[in-house]
Each structure stands twice: as structure tokens, then as C-alpha cells.
Amino acid sequence: MKIAACQMVSGPDLAANLATARRLLEDAARQGAALAALPEYFCLMGMHDSDKLALAEDEGQGPIQAMLATAARELGLWLIGGTLPIKAATSERVRNSTLVFSPSGGRVARYDKIHLFAFDDGRESYDEGRVLEAGGTPTAFDANGLQVGLSVCYDLRFPELYRGYAGSALLAVPAAFTYTTGQAHWELLLRARAVENQCYVVAPAQGGRHANGRRTWGHSMVVDPWGQVLAVLPEGEGVVVADLDPARLAQVRQQLPALGHRRLG
Ligand SMILES: O=C(O)CCC(=O)C(=O)O
């Protein structure tokens, strides 16, 4: 099964971002991908945190979700819809949500980012807790018999989330890592999650200079269960495609049966 990670440099214009996402998904399908993933906030890298509130959709409604469902159906893809803001049920804040659509266009899973990013090195500062409400439910879905565990960006730093997905064939990590932290940790963490859980990792990212002045690290990639980077795109818009080979997955787990040697839960 070919899997694709789409890299974007999203800006504040929703229509432009949706058009770019669609074009990249078409490219992924043309390259033979059966599953494609968009990055965190593919629909918006706004000028202010509060832009997310203005764009937030009710679950099951709105132009962003309509675009994802249509693209999945028309292109025949399992589509991991990066993230988009979904209105929280009981507060003014929003959830940072990944919605997954099957090739028939039906929504099969929703995962809300659990760990909210905060960073301040005196030059850059982020605090997602200002507008986001954290999710609390690890979520996996089944794509043609392959289990896929969901996560978002900063979640990558919390290995216990992925341990809960142990046995999955694939981990998905849509992201918008900062340039600073990405340069230091992105590949290291992705390869660690792949090696320790003996599975493939698909990591679509934001990568470049955004209209809001922010710079993201990019390096969207697919990693195999041995920790090898199969495909990577350093910066700018584009698609990376690699083969998820169930035989390779079984071989790694058989040769080094570490998943079966866990002693501490
Ligand atoms: O963990 C990091 O270094 C970056 C995380 C991030 O940018 C995010 O979660 O949006």
C-alpha cells in the first residue's frame, strides 16, 4: 500500500489553503497512494491565534470537512485530514482535530490533539492552551486491515500515547513543528517512535515561511519499522510517497521480537 505525506506552507486564506490541499491530494493519488495525510492546520496558519476560533466548524458541517469528504471519495483515498479547528462542546475554545475519511467519503475517525504545545525561548513563544481545549482520547482506525494510530505534532514527545497503539502498522503525525524545535528533534523523535513500536510512521508537516512570520521545519517524511527514512521533503509544498509493505513489517517484528518482550505494561 502506497502512503503519502503532503507538505504545505499554509497562510491565512482558507480558500487558497483548501485549493492547495486538493491539488496535493490529486498528486498523491496520481502517484498511486491509497492513503494520504495532510499537515496540522492545513486549512489555516492565521495571523493571530484567534483566527482559529473564527474558522472553527461544528462537527460534521462546514467547507473544510466537505472538502475532505469530497477529496477522499473522488480520489479514492484513505484521507487523514491533518488538523482543523472544531468547536468545543462546552467551552469557547476549539479542539485541534484530525478527521479521517474512507475512500467512500465517510468519516471513520476523529482524534483531538491531546498534548498542547507551549514554548518560549525569549525569541519565539507559543501557548496553544490560550485557544485550544485538549482532547483526551487516543484513537486508531482500520484501513483495509491495517491499524493506524493517530496523533498530532507535540504529541510526538509523549511516547506513552504511541505505546497504546502498539501493534499498529502505521502511526500518523500531522504536524507544524517550529523551525527551532524541528531542527533539533523532529527526525529523532519520528524515528524513535517507529523503532520502539516497530511500525511505519507517516508525518506530513508545514514547511516554510508563513505569511504570519512564522517559520516551520517541514521535512515531511515516511519512516519504516527499522527506523529508516524512506522519503523526505525538506521545505516547500509537495508530496512524498513510500510503500507500506506488510511483509517488511512482519519481518522486522519476527527478527527482533521486542514488542513481545515488554515487561512493564
Ligand atoms: O514539539 C515541538 O517542538 C513542536 C510542537 C508544535 O509546533 C505544535 O504542537 O504545534
Side-chain angles (χ1 to χ4, degrees), residues 40-41 113 115-117 128 152-155 157 176-178 181-182 185 214:
E40 185 181 27
Y41 293 130
K113 185 178 189 177
H115 304 94
L116 301 185
F117 182 49
E128 285 196 307
V152 176
C153 204
Y154 186 53
D155 284 331
R157 295 183 182 275
F177 250 61
T178 73
T181 61
H185 301 148
R214 189 170 165 187

Side-chain angles (χ1 to χ4, degrees), residues 144-164:
N144 295 342
L146 296 175
Q147 184 172 302
V148 184
L150 298 171
S151 64
V152 176
C153 204
Y154 186 53
D155 284 331
L156 182 59
R157 295 183 182 275
F158 300 85
E160 61 274 21
L161 171 64
Y162 301 90
R163 224 21 162 186

